[in-house]
Amino acid sequence: IESRVLGDIALNHIIPTSIRYQNILTENVKGLKDIFGNDFKEIAKEQMELIKKISEHIGAISVNVESMVEARKKANNVDDIEKRAELYCDKVKPFFDVIRTHCDKLEMMVDDELWPLSKYREILFTR
């Protein structure tokens, strides 16, 4: 259940929101290029680096969710419940931390107004 929920949230909430923010940054860079011409590369350096980092995290999430689903399918094909539980523990669960790390990085990059979930700092300091 946790694996399915993690995959759903990552693919249907985190990635689309990150792409939306990336598109906003891309439009910003295009605008800077229109205004400043060839000098835009220095002016928009941080935005372009952020666009690149977002792409890297999106790619890592996609690859790891896909690998996690494949590991889950293999585990589900094992009839022995104990062996299936071991496969889930050893082959599926390790993807949780990897996927979460990339989602956490995106949470820190994406504009608060766009982020569809409560951010950790909001949860920690909400009364």
Side-chain angles (χ1 to χ4, degrees), residues 80-99:
D80 184 311
I81 297 294
E82 190 173 320
K83 287 182 182 177
R84 187 184 313 162
E86 288 173 3
L87 286 172
Y88 264 89
C89 182
D90 297 338
K91 302 294 183 183
V92 177
K93 189 175 179 289
F95 288 105
F96 289 20
D97 288 337
V98 176
I99 295 166

Side-chain angles (χ1 to χ4, degrees), residues 4 30 41 75 88 101:
R4 290 176 192 266
K30 287 178 183 178
K41 288 182 182 179
Y88 264 89
T101 296

Side-chain angles (χ1 to χ4, degrees), residues 33-50:
K33 183 177 181 182
D34 289 344
I35 294 169
F36 295 105
N38 290 335
D39 293 336
F40 88 98
K41 288 182 182 179
E42 183 59 33
I43 296 167
K45 184 170 60 173
E46 287 79 16
Q47 292 94 319
M48 291 189 301
E49 186 61 32
L50 189 54

Side-chain angles (χ1 to χ4, degrees), residues 66-116:
E66 185 176 321
S67 297
M68 178 181 68
V69 169
E70 290 304 313
R72 194 174 67 225
K73 287 178 184 177
K74 288 179 184 176
N76 287 336
N77 285 328
V78 173
D79 291 329
D80 184 311
I81 297 294
E82 190 173 320
K83 287 182 182 177
R84 187 184 313 162
E86 288 173 3
L87 286 172
Y88 264 89
C89 182
D90 297 338
K91 302 294 183 183
V92 177
K93 189 175 179 289
F95 288 105
F96 289 20
D97 288 337
V98 176
I99 295 166
R100 179 172 173 191
T101 296
H102 291 285
C103 289
D104 288 350
K105 297 288 185 181
L106 288 171
E107 177 183 335
M108 297 303 293
M109 293 178 194
V110 174
D111 184 359
D112 289 352
E113 297 296 318
L114 296 176
W115 197 253

